[in-house]
Amino acid sequence: TANIQYWVGQDPGEATITIRDSDGEVVRELSASGDRGLNAAVWDLTLIDGGGTGMGFRGRANRAAPGTYSVEVSVGDALAQGALVVSR
């Protein structure tokens, strides 16, 4: 799993977390708390496939390959960006 922490300073609301691969393709979107202050969300490293979780070998969800992913957290008009490294 990957823990994503972010700060909301003003205008709390629902947070949207968009995770993209190195090609800029969206691999996962999460909805999370946008409460004022420090927040956290957990990405279970599964990928979307046609709008849902893809199923791989023996019914297991497709997992993110090792590499660097970009993370965007938006709450209202505010946007923060960062990087997340997935290793083996």
Side-chain angles (χ1 to χ4, degrees):
T1 62
N3 294 313
I4 302 166
Q5 295 182 336
Y6 54 97
W7 179 266
V8 177
Q10 296 179 5
D11 301 325
E14 185 174 355
T16 300
I17 301 170
T18 304
I19 302 166
R20 298 176 189 273
D21 63 16
S22 59
D23 294 327
E25 297 293 322
V26 174
V27 297
R28 189 71 179 194
E29 283 192 332
L30 306 171
S31 294
S33 171
D35 293 339
R36 186 170 286 130
L38 182 63
N39 292 271
V42 176
W43 176 32
D44 61 4
L45 303 180
T46 58
L47 307 175
I48 58 174
D49 181 16
T53 301
M55 300 306 287
F57 182 68
R58 293 188 181 163
R60 295 182 184 160
N62 288 332
R63 298 293 229 186
T68 301
Y69 294 80
S70 66
V71 179
E72 297 175 351
V73 179
S74 62
V75 178
D77 293 335
L79 177 70
Q81 297 177 321
L84 185 146
V85 176
V86 174
S87 59
R88 291 188 175 238

